[in-house]
Amino acid sequence: MTAVIADEDILGIAGDLWSSYLGEEALPAMLGTLTPEISSNVSVFGAWNGTVVVATTARGARLVGSALLEIPEDELTKGDIDDAVGELANIVGGNVKSVLPGPSSLTLPVVSHGTVAVNERAAVIVGQAALEWWGEVFEITVWHGPASEGGVG
Amino acid sequence: MRALVIDDSRAMRTILGRILAAQGFTVSDAGNGQEALDALTALQAQGELPSLALVDWNMPVMDGLTFVKEVRSRAEYASITLMMVTTESEHGQIVRALAAGAHEYVIKPFTADAIADKLALLGLSTVNA
């Protein structure tokens, strides 16, 4: 049986993350409004297999990088932005893993420019939520299916 | 007091460094367990061995659990308090980390107050000392 994670649980995890590190609360947003420009994902291996993806706009990624590293947006390097967005996926993924069947392990985050490649015939979405923060949308998607470091399915 | 922050994310090293600096620590950092062992060697040579190390679990090259085991196998590092700071929250993993020699375990995301509370429990709070 496929474990499903409630959208409210994803919003709760993301809410804790935003309030802990990003200063200003993120609000729930409508799914499907985002054209991802940068995505990060972590895969879960073990009793449950799948991938957690965090996607946002380029500006959303810059805002997160600036807030986490406390440096102006125009001083951020590509590495800074990838690091910050990767850490979002790491934290969301780790907390999602904690509510799924275990034991399991978590991969290091992988950052992609654009969307994460997903074979939708082999993987299914079991949880999804969107947030808005400083006018930018962040979508979190939990895929269940064969996982790899480059994506799912 | 000196602290060593070990995390492969620069963002997380920045956040933890900020919290520890506010608690009165002088902070060094490393991007993985091997870099941290190298940093400890250098700091020991300078007579500045840290009192505290905050250790992520999932890192490239050498993960946090391996680092904890390495530090605990070396008598010269016996004075270092080890605190895991990680997204890994399964009960079995917490038990493994504590059995390996970690003194405390904090799950991300954490607040600055949560870290301060753990430091106080460990007798490492310098702000209100």
Side-chain angles (χ1 to χ4, degrees):
Chain A
M1 183 179 160
T2 299
V4 174
I5 179 165
D7 297 351
E8 292 76 17
D9 289 341
I10 298 173
L11 286 172
I13 291 166
D16 287 346
L17 192 165
W18 253 260
S19 64
S20 296
Y21 302 142
L22 292 162
E24 200 164 312
E25 191 178 356
L27 300 173
M30 190 180 298
L31 282 166
T33 63
L34 173 70
T35 301
E37 293 174 305
I38 184 165
S39 307
S40 56
N41 72 88
V42 291
S43 293
V44 181
F45 294 90
W48 189 91
N49 293 286
T51 296
V52 179
V53 181
V54 178
T56 187
T57 60
R59 180 167 183 269
R62 282 198 308 275
L63 288 170
V64 165
S66 178
L68 290 180
L69 291 163
E70 288 193 341
I71 54 179
E73 276 183 67
D74 59 4
E75 292 179 18
L76 290 167
T77 66
K78 177 181 175 295
D80 292 335
I81 295 168
D82 287 359
D83 177 280
V85 176
E87 189 60 14
L88 291 186
N90 180 46
I91 295 171
V92 173
N95 283 270
V96 165
K97 180 169 90 72
S98 72
V99 298
L100 293 168
S104 56
S105 300
L106 198 67
T107 65
L108 296 173
V110 176
V111 177
S112 311
H113 291 264
T115 56
V116 173
V118 173
N119 179 350
E120 296 183 14
R121 285 177 298 181
V124 294
I125 293 174
V126 294
Q128 195 168 30
L131 306 106
E132 185 177 333
W133 181 67
W134 285 21
E136 300 300 319
V137 174
F138 295 74
E139 276 190 7
I140 299 167
T141 306
V142 182
W143 293 86
H144 179 239
S148 69
E149 289 197 13
V152 287
Chain B
M1 284 195 286
R2 179 173 291 277
L4 179 61
V5 174
I6 309 153
D7 198 303
D8 56 324
S9 165
R10 182 184 166 204
M12 191 51 58
R13 294 197 302 271
T14 300
I15 291 167
L16 286 167
R18 195 185 307 149
I19 292 169
L20 291 173
Q23 292 289 319
F25 285 88
T26 301
V27 181
S28 303
D29 64 16
N32 62 62
Q34 185 57 58
E35 282 185 13
L37 289 176
D38 294 343
L40 287 180
T41 301
L43 289 168
Q44 187 179 31
Q46 298 163 21
E48 295 183 14
L49 208 57
S51 309
L52 170 71
L54 303 189
V55 190
D56 186 22
W57 189 304
N58 294 308
M59 295 182 286
V61 185
M62 180 187 288
D63 65 37
L65 184 65
T66 304
F67 171 80
V68 167
K69 291 175 179 174
E70 284 285 331
V71 168
R72 281 296 157 258
S73 72
R74 302 181 189 193
E76 66 268 32
Y77 297 152
S79 63
I80 303 173
T81 298
L82 299 173
M83 185 189 300
M84 296 295 293
V85 183
T86 172
T87 61
E88 296 288 355
S89 57
E90 289 177 14
H91 177 72
Q93 286 169 304
I94 296 172
V95 170
R96 283 173 68 199
L98 296 176
H103 297 86
E104 269 294 352
Y105 201 101
V106 175
I107 296 167
K108 300 175 186 173
F110 51 79
T111 62
D113 286 346
I115 298 290
D117 289 348
K118 295 288 188 184
L119 293 176
L121 281 173
L122 292 164
L124 289 171
S125 181
T126 59
V127 170
N128 297 315

